[in-house]
Amino acid sequence: MFPPVDTNGNVSISIDEGCVQILDGPCTNMWTCGGTYPGLTVRRPTGQPTNVTFTNNLDATAGEMTVHNHGNHSTADNDGQPESLLIATGGSRTYRYDGLEAGGNQRGKTQFYHDHRMDVTGRNVWMGLTGLYIVDDPADPSTLPSGEFDLPLVIADRQFDAKNQIPYVFNPNGVTGDKFLVNGVYQPYLEVGDRKYRFRILNASNFRTYFLELSSGDSFIQIGTESGLLPAPVTRTGMRMGPAERLDVVVNFAGELGQNIYLVDVLTGTQLLEFRVTQHVTDDSSIPATLRPLPDIGEPSVTRNWSFNQTEGHWAINGLRFDPNRVDARPVLGTTEKWVFTNPTGQPHTVHIHDVSQQCLTRNGGPCFAYETMKETWYLAPGETLEVKLKFTDHVGMYMLHCHMVEHEDDGMMTQFEVVGRADPTPRPRPTPRPRPMAH
Ligand code: C2O
Ligand code: CU
């Protein structure tokens, strides 16, 4: 029940139609990245250059595609722009990722790639254009569960018709389904040993939010977010998870040999995944008391306010719908800013910022959750206010800021910011010429 993995530095992925066996009966026609749903997992050591070439083999009616590596610190040209640098029908595009950030290696984390085409991201993601991109980092503690005990869980809902097909009908208030898939499998089970496992959970749904619990009443030990490992593990019995959020957790099945334990979505009362604890295995893994410190990104010098609101019946940011010809912020490379997000609407939003991770400053005027120190996709319930800080490192160019409830995004709840070089560069002093060594 896991998508295939490619660990090479050069990866080719065909975006193509495929009929995927999900339910009993007819297979489901989907758009796939490499023939499966979720698509091919790219798994790479940090600091290593990686080229991923996508070829658009879909029917011309699907239009041009663009692929965003969500969570990656990409250059603007390789970030999957919604309205430029597109992959034409029959065409290919190679995205280059250098695995570097702020003078060092990018942190280890669970990223995912997906189509980001303007106006039709919801359709393209619903049809299946999503896959994992995992960055492994030798600076992360080596004692965490690894290898066969480090597993991704990609949760997504779909609505199937009587012929097991998933026609997409846009609804600005979200497209959801009544069937829940984990790694593309309906009502899956996983045989596990009585030991600790690391699960990298991604909410790959277009719109739906989950609240995860274990039927055993056991806790999750959260070790990471979208942006890699937390400063310290956090024990949680229940976890809310909006679209595009990732939860990196350890679950310990010790003492539960012979039991069947479910991963449950409390909001719908659905058993998403059954763990069958069938084997006794030794456990040499451990969770250190401290994991990875937050990077020091300094204090913000500029504050910007972003209201995730509405205009004339459409979703918007600061009252404006997405316009590829408008830029709403021009932060300066190398500086740190404070961004304040508010939600005056009656629906939640998941705030996602491209390019760099953000550190939480306050939530609703108070302290941040210990499991939300650094992220790039933030759940913002109605009436909430979130303050984060972020430092614009390495790359200039255009990046997106949007709601990751993708129907809100397609309806207009997206904008772009352009990281610019220093506006008024101080003239560089001329180097004093070094005296040439005298010939003797
Ligand atoms: Cu995962 Cu701008 O998106
Ligand atoms: Cu939204």
Side-chain angles (χ1 to χ4, degrees):
M1 60 168 284
F2 298 95
V5 181
D6 193 328
T7 59
N8 291 300
N10 293 295
V11 180
S12 291
I13 298 178
S14 169
I15 298 175
D16 206 350
E17 281 179 49
C19 204
V20 183
Q21 194 69 51
I22 299 176
L23 305 179
D24 289 342
C27 57
T28 303
N29 291 304
M30 296 187 76
W31 297 354
T32 66
C33 291
T36 60
Y37 178 77
L40 180 70
T41 297
V42 180
R43 186 158 192 164
R44 294 286 295 154
T46 188
Q48 300 294 312
T50 305
N51 300 316
V52 187
T53 302
F54 287 90
T55 304
N56 179 0
N57 291 312
L58 291 171
D59 189 83
T61 54
E64 297 154 306
M65 298 286 144
T66 183
V67 184
H68 173 55
N69 188 344
H70 180 129
N72 197 69
H73 183 50
S74 307
T75 63
D77 282 0
N78 290 293
D79 200 42
Q81 299 290 338
E83 183 59 345
S84 62
L85 306 169
L86 305 175
I87 315 170
T89 303
S92 295
R93 179 165 187 88
T94 300
Y95 295 87
R96 300 177 198 287
Y97 311 118
D98 62 12
L100 302 174
E101 178 153 24
N105 291 332
Q106 217 173 279
R107 288 163 78 104
K109 50 195 150 101
T110 306
Q111 304 176 172
F112 68 115
Y113 61 83
H114 59 81
D115 176 81
H116 213 300
R117 185 75 178 92
M118 189 173 76
D119 300 335
V120 291
T121 294
R123 178 198 67 180
N124 295 354
V125 167
W126 178 268
M127 291 307 294
L129 301 183
T130 299
L132 289 164
Y133 188 108
I134 297 172
V135 179
D136 287 311
D137 187 349
D140 288 345
S142 60
T143 63
L144 293 169
S146 61
E148 60 180 306
F149 307 110
D150 169 2
L151 299 170
L153 301 177
V154 178
I155 302 172
D157 61 334
R158 290 291 184 277
Q159 189 66 40
F160 294 85
D161 68 15
K163 293 175 178 155
N164 290 354
Q165 302 309 303
I166 53 167
Y168 181 78
V169 182
F170 179 74
N171 177 347
N173 291 317
V175 176
T176 57
D178 62 4
K179 289 202 166 50
F180 299 84
L181 314 178
V182 178
N183 297 339
V185 182
Y186 178 58
Q187 295 182 329
Y189 71 90
L190 183 63
E191 293 196 0
V192 295
D194 57 346
R195 54 156 288 156
K196 290 190 285 301
Y197 281 75
R198 177 178 183 173
F199 295 116
R200 301 165 184 263
I201 310 174
L202 159 67
N203 180 356
S205 309
N206 281 39
F207 190 79
R208 186 182 288 280
T209 293
Y210 301 89
F211 194 94
L212 303 177
E213 286 183 4
L214 292 165
S215 61
S216 55
D218 287 346
S219 298
F220 305 93
I221 302 163
Q222 189 177 346
I223 57 171
T225 68
E226 300 91 69
S227 300
L229 294 183
L230 289 162
V234 180
T235 300
R236 304 178 66 186
T237 52
M239 307 184 296
R240 184 181 59 188
M241 191 177 203
E245 284 192 281
R246 278 89 81 208
L247 294 164
D248 202 334
V249 301
V250 172
V251 173
N252 194 353
F253 298 107
E256 293 172 330
L257 191 62
Q259 294 186 34
N260 298 335
I261 295 165
Y262 291 90
L263 177 68
V264 176
D265 170 42
V266 177
L267 300 180
T268 54
T270 307
Q271 296 172 335
L272 300 172
L273 168 63
E274 179 184 359
F275 299 107
R276 298 181 182 168
V277 190
T278 53
Q279 312 155 52
H280 178 63
V281 279
T282 52
D283 188 355
D284 54 2
S285 70
S286 62
I287 308 169
T290 59
L291 296 165
R292 289 290 298 273
L294 292 178
D296 179 4
I297 61 169
E299 293 310 313
S301 53
V302 173
T303 299
R304 295 181 205 271
N305 295 294
W306 305 100
S307 176
F308 275 51
N309 57 12
Q310 286 165 292
T311 182
E312 293 170 349
H314 292 285
W315 298 104
I317 297 176
N318 289 344
L320 298 168
R321 298 174 77 191
F322 181 67
D323 175 351
N325 298 312
R326 195 187 75 240
V327 179
D328 284 334
R330 287 202 164 80
V332 175
L333 185 68
T335 64
T336 300
E337 298 196 353
K338 179 203 276 194
W339 286 11
V340 182
F341 295 96
T342 49
N343 177 6
T345 74
Q347 281 212 34
H349 304 290
T350 42
V351 172
H352 172 49
I353 308 169
H354 288 209
D355 184 24
V356 289
S357 291
Q358 306 97 48
Q359 296 182 16
C360 188
L361 295 172
T362 67
R363 221 187 221 285
N364 303 323
C368 302
F369 297 121
Y371 51 83
E372 285 198 336
T373 49
M374 186 164 72
K375 286 165 70 66
E376 31 80 330
T377 306
W378 307 82
Y379 195 87
L380 199 63
E384 284 199 302
T385 299
L386 173 75
E387 293 186 314
V388 303
K389 66 175 180 177
L390 65 172
K391 182 176 185 181
F392 303 92
T393 55
D394 305 306
H395 312 311
V396 295
M398 210 68 84
Y399 293 97
M400 299 300 131
L401 156 66
H402 60 92
C403 179
H404 218 291
M405 294 173 172
V406 288
E407 283 77 28
H408 288 181
E409 170 187 337
D410 283 341
D411 190 51
M413 196 173 248
M414 176 158 81
T415 186
Q416 54 190 356
F417 61 94
E418 183 181 12
V419 182
V420 296
R422 290 195 180 280
D424 177 27
T426 38
R428 273 219 232 147
R430 283 198 169 190
T432 325
R434 285 177 95 186
R436 286 235 185 132
M438 303 271 280
H440 291 286

